[in-house]
Amino acid sequence: MAPSKRTRGKPKLKKGVGGKVPRITYATLAVTPKDDEAYDNAVATVRTKLGSHFTMFINGEKWTSTGEEFSHVSPVDTRIVVSYFPKGNRDDVRSAISSARDAFPKWSSTPYKQRTAILRKGADLIIERRYELAAWMAFEVGKNRAESLAEINEAAELIRYYCDQMELNKGFLRQLESPGPKQETYSVLRPFGVWGVIAPWNFPLALATGMTAGALVAGNAVVFKPSSDSPVLGYEMCRAFIDAGTPRGVLNLVTGPGATVGAELQENSGIDGLVFTGSKAVGMGIYHGFAKDFPKPVITEMGGKDPAIVTASADLDQAAEGVMKAAFGFGGQKCSACSRVYVDNRVKEKFLDLLKSYTQKHVKIGDPTRKETFLGPLINKGAVETYANAAEEARRDGGRFVYGGNVLTSGEFANGFFVEPAIVDLSPQHRLFRDELFVPLLVVAGVESFEEAMRLANDSEYGLCAGIYSGNQKEIQTFFDQIQAGVTYANRRAGATTGAWPGVNSFGGWKGSGSTGKNGLGPYYVQQFMREQSRWIVK
Ligand code: NAD
C-alpha cells in the first residue's frame, strides 16, 4: 500500500509511555538523536550501578538464599563485574514452586481482562525503562545499542501481542452448538498451573519476557530462571511485572546453575509445564526428562544452523547485504543467524566480493555502547575458543578465508572477547556446515544448481530459519514448499534469516530446533499454556 500524504517520509510510530515513540525494530534499527542522548545518559547511570548485589524474587519478596553468590563479568572488559546474584539451590526452587502453587488459584480465576491490564502495565514499564535496560544489555551480554533498543521494544510488544490474543479470543471461552433444548455446551481453554521458564542469555529480555508473558496471560503462575550470563535482564523483567501489580507468588525469580536450579525445575512434580529456549543439547534433555509419570506440556525452542540460498538469478547486492546482516548481527550469536550459504557457482565470486565489501564497510568492531559499533564482543572465553578452533579447522581443511578469521587481543580489545567476522569458502561436506557454532563465522559453498542448494540446505538436524535470494518466482515457491524450517524469508535485504517480530513474523523451529511446531510471536503461541475443558450444562 502506498504511504498516505500524512505519513510519507515519517518513521512509523507506535504508542509508548508518555505519548508516541519511534519504533525501533530489528529491521529498521531506527535510533534517533534523542534515543542516542538518552542511551548515553543511561550508560553513565548504569556505570555507577555495575557490581551491584541483586536478589531473587520469591513470593513477592527479595530473596537471597544462603548468602553464596556468583558474579558475571562483562564480555566487553572482563575487569568489570556487572553483577552479583544469589547462587540459588534446590531448596530455593522448592520455595518458589510452593509460592507459585499458592498464588495460582486466585490468579487463574482473575478475569482475563484484569490480567492483561496488569501485564500491559509491565510492558509500559519496560518501555519507560528502555534506555537503562539497553545499557545493562551492553555491559551484560555485549549487545550494541540499536539491537538492544530493538530487543527491549520487542519484549514490550510481545507482552502486548499476547494480551491482544487473549482479548481477541475473549479468554478462549467459546459456546459450541447446543445439544438440545435447555442445554448449553462450551469449550474453554484453562491454564495448567505452575510453569517453569528457562531462558538463554542471547535475547536476555525478549525471550524471557515472551515465554513468561505467554504463561502468565493464560493464567498460570511462573518460576523463572534466567541464564547466569544475563541475570540482570531477567531480574529487570521480573521487577517490571511485579511493579505492574502481579500478585505475590505469581512470578518468582530463581538464579543459579542450570545443573541444580534448572534441574529442580525439570524434576519437581510441582511444575505442571516447562518452557525452555536454549541449546539443542540441554533442550533435548529437558524434552526427554520432564514428563515422567504422566504427560505434561513441554515447549523447547532450540538451536539453528540457518542456511541462505543464492541462486544465479538473485539480486546479488541485496543478497550480500542480507547475508552480512544476518551472519554478523550480534556476532552470529542468534539462533536465527545465517551461518551457511549455498551460492550458484556462476555468481559465487561476485557474491563473495560484494559480501566482503559489505562486511568491511558495516561491521565496525568495538565497545557496544558506542554509537558506531556494529559488532561487540562474544559472550565468553568459551565462545572465543569455539571461534578460534573453527577457524583453525577451516584453514587446515583447505578453507579459503575471504574475510577475517582472527581473534582480537590488542589495544581496546585486550580485555574483552573480540573477534573478526569471518567468511570462509569451504566444501559443503565439512562439519562447519552442520554444527551450530554461535559465533560470527560464516561458511559459503558453491553449488551447481538450485536443486543441489535445496538438498544441502535441508540436510541438517536443525530447522529454524532459512532464506533465499532469487529472481525466479518458481524457485521461491519451491523453496517455501520444500524447505524444512519454521521461519523463512525470500529476497530480504534487512536480513537473510533474521528479523522476527511479534504479530509480524512469528518465530519457532522444526526438527532439532523446536518441539511444538507452533511459533512464538504468533497467533498459536498462548494456547500452548492452556488445556481444553469441554462443558455441558443442563438448565
Ligand atoms: P543453554 O542451553 O546453554 O542454556 C539455556 C538455559 O538453560 C540457561 O538458563 C541455562 O542455565 C539452562 N540450563 C543449562 N543446563 C540445564 C539443565 N541441565 N537443566 C535445566 N536448565 C539448564 O543455551 P545458551 O547458551 O544460554 O543459549 C544459546 C543457545 O540457545 C543456542 O543454541 C541458540 O541457538 C539457542 N537459542 C534458541 C532460540 C530459539 O528461539 N530457537 C532463541 C535463542 C537462543
Side-chain angles (χ1 to χ4, degrees):
M1 197 173 72
S4 72
K5 251 190 186 159
R6 236 156 42 85
T7 59
R8 198 179 295 139
K10 292 187 183 166
K12 198 168 175 196
L13 298 178
K14 223 173 177 208
K15 264 202 177 136
V17 165
K20 293 188 161 195
V21 293
R23 194 183 202 229
I24 306 170
T25 70
Y26 302 119
T28 69
L29 296 176
V31 179
T32 65
K34 230 171 129 194
D35 293 319
D36 281 329
E37 193 187 334
Y39 178 87
D40 289 335
N41 290 337
V43 167
T45 306
V46 166
R47 268 188 207 286
T48 67
K49 299 182 185 175
L50 291 169
S52 295
H53 294 258
F54 291 82
T55 64
M56 304 193 263
F57 286 114
I58 296 181
N59 202 28
E61 306 284 343
K62 295 193 165 192
W63 186 281
T64 51
S65 187
T66 56
E68 205 185 337
E69 290 185 316
F70 67 92
S71 60
H72 175 62
V73 296
S74 178
V76 184
D77 182 339
T78 55
R79 294 167 302 181
I80 299 173
V81 176
V82 178
S83 63
Y84 295 91
F85 269 85
K87 189 170 173 189
N89 55 38
R90 284 180 182 262
D91 281 341
D92 298 317
V93 182
R94 288 180 196 126
S95 301
I97 293 171
S98 155
S99 84
R101 296 206 77 76
D102 289 347
F104 170 70
K106 196 160 173 218
W107 179 245
S108 61
S109 57
T110 300
Y112 73 87
K113 286 184 184 163
Q114 280 179 36
R115 288 203 302 266
T116 57
I118 292 171
L119 298 179
R120 283 183 190 284
K121 184 142 185 258
D124 290 347
L125 288 173
I126 285 172
I127 290 295
E128 203 173 286
R129 299 169 183 176
R130 63 191 179 282
Y131 298 110
E132 275 205 28
L133 293 177
W136 277 112
M137 211 178 277
F139 287 109
E140 194 168 54
V141 301
K143 195 167 280 195
N144 74 26
R145 75 170 62 186
E147 295 221 35
S148 297
L149 287 167
E151 178 175 341
I152 287 150
N153 279 347
E154 184 193 6
E157 294 208 9
L158 270 164
I159 300 169
R160 292 171 181 153
Y161 180 76
Y162 294 152
C163 288
D164 288 348
Q165 293 305 306
M166 201 68 192
E167 289 159 1
L168 281 169
N169 288 285
K170 301 188 169 51
F172 293 97
L173 172 66
R174 285 172 66 165
Q175 185 158 16
L176 302 180
E177 192 179 332
S178 170
K182 297 196 173 168
Q183 298 181 65
E184 288 173 5
T185 53
Y186 294 87
S187 158
V188 55
L189 293 187
R190 305 190 61 200
F192 282 90
V194 175
W195 278 71
V197 174
I198 302 179
W201 60 268
N202 69 327
F203 281 84
L205 189 70
L207 287 170
T209 305
M211 292 188 283
T212 302
L216 290 179
V217 77
N220 300 282
V222 163
V223 180
F224 163 61
K225 188 198 105 54
S227 163
S228 298
D229 279 330
S230 59
V232 174
L233 270 302
Y235 174 93
E236 286 297 329
M237 173 198 76
C238 293
R239 197 167 70 87
F241 280 132
I242 289 170
D243 289 353
T246 50
R248 261 169 190 275
V250 164
L251 173 58
N252 303 274
L253 169 73
V254 288
T255 53
T260 48
V261 171
E264 183 65 29
L265 284 174
Q266 204 184 135
E267 291 159 19
N268 194 302
S269 62
I271 294 287
D272 301 297
L274 197 54
V275 57
F276 164 89
T277 305
S279 63
K280 177 168 173 276
V282 175
M284 287 309 294
I286 288 176
Y287 183 78
H288 289 302
F290 178 56
K292 289 200 192 72
D293 300 332
F294 52 84
K296 295 199 282 188
V298 55
I299 303 171
T300 58
E301 291 295 341
M302 300 175 284
K305 187 74 187 177
D306 306 317
I309 293 173
V310 181
T311 69
S313 61
D315 174 336
L316 295 181
D317 190 72
Q318 185 183 59
E321 185 171 354
V323 167
M324 180 277 291
K325 285 182 171 157
F328 303 132
F330 195 36
Q333 302 174 114
K334 298 182 184 182
C335 47
S336 57
C338 177
S339 52
R340 53 191 175 121
V341 174
Y342 302 105
V343 53
D344 192 294
N345 276 323
R346 286 167 286 178
V347 295
K348 181 175 152 195
E349 287 311 315
K350 187 155 183 231
F351 168 74
L352 283 173
D353 282 350
L354 285 163
L355 181 59
K356 180 179 171 183
S357 88
Y358 267 111
T359 306
Q360 227 156 13
K361 193 162 155 220
H362 288 277
V363 184
K364 299 269 175 294
I365 308 170
D367 179 339
T369 63
R370 281 212 301 265
K371 184 176 165 46
E372 66 277 10
T373 296
F374 181 93
L375 182 61
L378 298 187
I379 186 69
N380 53 32
K381 197 163 164 242
V384 175
E385 282 166 10
T386 299
Y387 176 92
N389 292 340
E392 193 185 311
E393 204 180 319
R395 274 188 201 102
R396 188 195 62 206
D397 297 341
R400 173 172 64 110
F401 275 78
V402 176
Y403 194 84
N406 300 302
V407 175
L408 300 168
T409 52
S410 58
E412 63 166 317
F413 305 122
N415 297 300
F417 299 125
F418 292 90
V419 301
E420 293 173 341
I423 304 167
V424 193
D425 178 8
L426 192 64
S427 153
Q429 272 69 46
H430 200 278
R431 76 128 193 137
L432 296 180
F433 281 86
R434 286 195 307 278
D435 297 346
E436 184 188 46
L437 303 177
F438 227 52
V439 296
L441 188 143
L442 174 71
V443 286
V444 181
V447 291
E448 287 303 312
S449 64
F450 168 69
E451 289 71 24
E452 186 187 1
M454 283 295 296
R455 185 177 54 73
L456 290 167
N458 279 335
D459 184 17
S460 170
E461 62 179 358
Y462 294 107
L464 189 47
C465 305
I468 187 171
Y469 294 91
S470 170
N472 180 330
Q473 284 311 310
K474 206 162 151 243
E475 282 175 353
I476 292 174
Q477 193 55 49
T478 305
F479 166 80
F480 282 134
D481 291 344
Q482 294 181 7
I483 195 75
Q484 295 160 7
V487 193
T488 57
Y489 302 89
N491 293 335
R492 192 158 167 281
R493 192 182 276 276
T497 55
T498 50
W501 199 258
V504 174
N505 180 214
S506 66
F507 192 84
W510 294 7
K511 305 199 297 191
S513 297
S515 66
T516 71
K518 305 279 191 303
N519 290 357
L521 295 66
Y524 310 112
Y525 187 69
V526 168
Q527 293 90 319
Q528 299 182 101
F529 294 91
M530 293 178 268
R531 52 188 164 187
E532 185 170 0
Q533 184 174 66
S534 185
R535 295 177 175 173
W536 188 319
I537 308 162
V538 180
K539 296 269 175 174

